[in-house]
């Protein structure tokens, strides 16, 4: 084996590439849910997305892998949904912090009808 294949730099670079591909795939898959209104459409789109990733699964050249990742990220950014779905109670959702916090100095007692009769 050559020094390139056993060096720590090569291993670290490949690990970083794997992580970038994983993140790109997850983002693209989640974004597919924003474009597909019905589940049967999503499953078809998700299968096509998986095939696109699987087509380059056996590429070994680190520079080619970097180029493929950069192309994939550019394509993802170009075709990302302009108005993604956000779960209502998540940050940015329609229900997130919709009720303002009570003003300071107000005490809320939750004793559910068991008030003292003093």
């Amino acid at each position: 084996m050559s020094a390139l294949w056993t060096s720590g730099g090569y291993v670290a670079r490949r690990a970083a590439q794997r992580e970038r591909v994983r993140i790109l795939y997850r983002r693209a898959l989640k974004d597919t849910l924003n474009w597909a209104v019905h589940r049967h459409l999503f499953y078809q789109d998700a299968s096509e997305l998986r095939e696109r990733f699987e087509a380059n699964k056996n590429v070994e050249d680190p520079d080619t892998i970097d180029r493929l990742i950069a192309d994939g990220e550019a394509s993802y950014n170009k075709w990302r949904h302009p108005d993604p779905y956000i779960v209502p109670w998540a940050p940015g959702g329609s229900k997130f912090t919709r009720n303002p916090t009570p003003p300071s100095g107000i005490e809320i007692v939750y004793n559910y009808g068991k008030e003292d009769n003093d």
Side-chain angles (χ1 to χ4, degrees):
M1 288 185 119
S2 67
L4 173 70
W5 295 102
T6 58
S7 69
Y10 175 80
V11 173
R13 183 175 180 187
R14 287 303 302 263
Q17 288 173 337
R18 275 191 213 91
E19 183 69 11
R20 286 178 64 197
V21 169
R22 185 188 65 80
I23 290 170
L24 177 62
Y25 179 71
R26 285 180 54 104
R27 285 182 182 164
L29 190 61
K30 287 182 181 183
D31 195 57
T32 302
L33 276 171
N34 294 323
W35 288 103
V37 179
H38 302 290
R39 281 291 178 174
H40 68 279
L41 298 174
F42 166 73
Y43 292 142
Q44 180 181 351
D45 292 345
S47 293
E48 292 170 5
L49 177 68
R50 183 65 183 203
E51 288 172 7
R52 289 178 66 191
F53 275 80
E54 290 287 334
N56 298 310
K57 179 180 177 180
N58 296 321
V59 176
E60 292 292 329
D61 180 41
D63 295 328
T64 304
I65 294 171
D66 283 336
R67 185 182 48 79
L68 289 169
I69 292 171
D71 292 346
E73 289 172 342
S75 176
Y76 169 72
N77 288 329
K78 179 180 179 184
W79 295 108
R80 208 162 72 182
H81 198 283
D83 187 22
Y85 176 75
I86 300 173
V87 179
W89 52 86
S94 60
K95 291 184 178 180
F96 186 71
T97 64
R98 103 179 138 181
N99 297 325
T101 56
S104 61
I106 293 180
E107 181 181 347
I108 299 174
V109 178
Y110 297 105
N111 54 10
Y112 304 105
K114 299 176 186 158
E115 293 87 7
D116 293 335
N117 292 330
D118 292 335

